[in-house]
Amino acid sequence: MSDLSQMTLFEEEEPTLVASGIDDMNLVEVLLGLPGRRRPPEDKTISVPWEKDDRSYYLEYNNSWLRIDWESRRRDTGKKDDFYLEVRSPESKGLPTKSVEDVFVALMDLTARENFTSPKIKTTRHELLSIMKHSDGGKAYQRLEETLSQLVNLTVETNAFWNPKKETYFKSEFSIIDSTDLERSQGDHNAETHITWGSKMFEIFQKGYLKRLDTDFYYSLSNTTTRRIFRWLDKHFRHYPTVEVDVLRFAHKTLGFGVSYKYPSQVLQKLEKRLDELVERGFCKWKVVDSKTDSGRKFIFSRRTQYTAVLFPRRDLIIEALERHGLNRASEFVDRHGWDRCLRHLEYLEHRLQSGKKEIQNPGGWLADAIEQDRRLPSGIKEKISECREQTVEWCNQMYQALSLEEKSKLEQRIKKELEGCNEEEKEIMERQWRNRLLLNRIKQF
């Protein structure tokens, strides 16, 4: 093995990713997609899919009531179990419209600024609309007030909430908002608005199943559906680099699409533009493949990882990556020039390929020349690689902290097996890198 002192790209720091808000992961998973459904005629109940037990999920809803039943694998035992969600609202109010998600994210942002010290929020309607980057017109204020009123009157019951402290699920019944007080005065836009979270809702926040959310990025997305996809993926990418989900399950259960979307082709036609926006913004990659899931087609979402060196904690893995790009005698290059130089140019090559810059006809030859000559990287690329490395390492730390005790134990056993035969010095340097490699190869399947 080459000199371990050459592994400078593997040295880990404690970078901090800055995001402008906080999101509750229970609500992202369970309540996301409830609003926005086209309301059925009065006294009519819609069911999706059309025969119960036809799929791994089942929905029924009307103007003021919604019930979802689904099957999923438990985090604590790994076994499949049945979960449900029931939402009720007075007929005079109805279920919330799709704008409720933007309101909820803004309220969480304001609560996070006070470090969740109080369930009471003191704000103005103008401030809420400014956070949401919504227009400042009369209709926007009317929609905001209607949404707040719906949240006050909404009740939720579910057995699918996760308690991260006890590492088990719990059943809960609650109201999202307990009360609102909207002052009326001349120039209503800046009149004080007082909003109080429901007591159970605030208890759920205090269980600590929270994550950072880049609200600036969230509100900059062009469409409600795109924002909804971003929140859901952002939650699951915290635990997994790759997420697989059936096309129709994703559309119906997660995004709230109605009965008119019966086939994967209809969903793809609707979502392609929305998903491509997330690709163009550098958030993720996606594709659709045949599967044995409900509809026979599934999405595969992958978080964009610009810096991949943490995937290669061992000499043979670096050689394998170089060979995959067509570099002949890769082992000689690694031994002669060291891990650091090989990884630096490997990463730059992948950066060029991902960014769609000028096509490289012979990647293997390009790598050979770049490593041999140790070409100077373009201005700013070194800083970019360093930034991406820190972000990837921080992401791995987040994924590790999100594991259950059982998952951590299994991961440590796997690492121990992979490092058999290494001396203590090698283990000390490579243990964290091998952990990161395993974390970056995890897949979440729905």
Side-chain angles (χ1 to χ4, degrees), residues 338-354:
W339 294 20
D340 186 57
R341 184 191 293 193
C342 291
L343 282 170
R344 188 166 61 246
H345 294 292
L346 174 64
E347 182 55 38
Y348 180 46
L349 171 66
E350 293 185 352
H351 170 78
R352 286 174 60 105
L353 295 175
Q354 286 187 12

Side-chain angles (χ1 to χ4, degrees), residues 142 152 200 209 217 252 311 363 378 437:
Q142 182 181 349
V152 170
K200 284 287 185 181
Y209 198 37
F217 184 86
H252 294 149
L311 283 169
R437 173 180 169 81

Side-chain angles (χ1 to χ4, degrees), residues 17-24 104-113 116 131 210-219 234:
L17 295 181
V18 178
S20 53
I22 294 293
D23 211 349
D24 183 276
F104 178 81
V105 169
L107 294 178
M108 285 289 289
D109 181 85
L110 290 171
T111 307
R113 295 180 192 181
F116 292 91
I131 292 173
L210 305 170
K211 70 173 182 65
R212 287 170 287 184
L213 177 72
D214 190 338
T215 52
D216 291 333
F217 184 86
Y218 170 84
Y219 286 119
D234 194 52

Side-chain angles (χ1 to χ4, degrees), residues 37 48 100 102 119 146 171 205 253 307 314 320 346 381 390:
R37 301 174 192 277
V48 182
V100 70
D102 287 352
E146 289 174 353
K171 179 181 175 181
F205 295 156
K253 180 185 177 297
Y307 192 85
R314 207 168 59 191
E320 180 184 324
L346 174 64
I381 290 296
E390 292 178 1

Side-chain angles (χ1 to χ4, degrees), residues 91-333:
E91 290 187 10
S92 60
K93 299 294 181 180
L95 294 177
T97 61
K98 58 187 178 183
S99 62
V100 70
E101 292 174 45
D102 287 352
V103 175
F104 178 81
V105 169
L107 294 178
M108 285 289 289
D109 181 85
L110 290 171
T111 307
R113 295 180 192 181
E114 302 299 324
N115 296 316
F116 292 91
T117 54
S118 171
K120 297 180 179 180
I121 302 169
K122 180 180 177 181
T123 182
T124 67
R125 276 147 283 180
H126 174 75
E127 182 180 31
L128 283 171
L129 290 174
S130 296
I131 292 173
M132 295 187 286
K133 295 182 170 58
H134 283 197
S135 63
D136 211 9
K139 289 185 177 180
Y141 283 94
Q142 182 181 349
R143 284 196 300 270
L144 174 60
E145 292 185 13
E146 289 174 353
T147 299
L148 290 172
S149 179
Q150 287 174 320
L151 289 174
V152 170
N153 288 275
L154 196 72
T155 59
V156 178
E157 180 182 338
T158 182
N159 67 345
F161 277 3
W162 176 256
N163 186 333
K165 295 178 180 177
K166 295 187 176 180
E167 296 195 346
T168 188
Y169 293 92
F170 66 96
K171 179 181 175 181
S172 189
E173 188 171 359
F174 58 92
S175 297
I176 293 180
I177 290 178
D178 179 65
S179 64
T180 62
D181 294 296
L182 284 64
E183 288 187 1
R184 296 291 179 186
S185 61
Q186 188 173 6
D188 271 348
H189 295 184
N190 289 303
E192 283 193 1
T193 296
H194 298 266
I195 301 166
T196 303
W197 292 106
S199 57
K200 284 287 185 181
M201 183 81 266
F202 198 67
E203 284 181 22
I204 290 170
F205 295 156
Q206 292 183 316
K207 291 184 185 295
Y209 198 37
L210 305 170
K211 70 173 182 65
R212 287 170 287 184
L213 177 72
D214 190 338
T215 52
D216 291 333
F217 184 86
Y218 170 84
Y219 286 119
S220 73
L221 296 170
S222 63
N223 178 270
T224 300
T225 300
T226 313
R227 292 195 287 273
R228 188 174 293 166
I229 294 170
F230 166 68
R231 277 186 73 202
W232 189 82
L233 285 176
D234 194 52
K235 183 252 176 153
H236 288 289
F237 281 161
R238 184 176 183 269
H239 298 120
Y240 298 90
T242 301
V243 178
E244 299 181 358
V245 59
D246 179 79
V247 170
L248 290 185
R249 177 171 172 143
F250 186 60
H252 294 149
K253 180 185 177 297
T254 302
L255 301 182
F257 284 17
V259 292
S260 60
Y261 293 89
K262 296 184 179 181
Y263 307 105
S265 58
Q266 294 173 299
V267 175
L268 293 173
Q269 185 177 11
K270 174 75 172 180
L271 291 185
E272 184 173 7
K273 182 178 179 181
R274 310 304 174 202
L275 295 172
D276 284 346
E277 180 179 356
L278 294 175
V279 174
E280 291 165 5
R281 297 290 298 274
F283 176 68
C284 69
K285 297 180 286 186
W286 70 278
K287 63 181 178 180
V288 177
V289 299
D290 293 336
S291 70
K292 295 181 180 180
T293 56
D294 290 324
S295 69
R297 302 276 283 168
K298 67 179 177 181
F299 284 113
I300 299 179
F301 297 104
S302 299
R303 178 170 168 173
R304 287 289 292 271
T305 308
Q306 291 181 307
Y307 192 85
T308 56
V310 292
L311 283 169
F312 309 120
R314 207 168 59 191
R315 176 179 176 276
D316 58 323
L317 298 176
I318 300 173
I319 292 170
E320 180 184 324
L322 294 171
E323 290 176 340
R324 191 164 56 245
H325 285 291
L327 178 64
N328 296 322
R329 306 189 317 279
S331 60
E332 296 179 18
F333 278 84

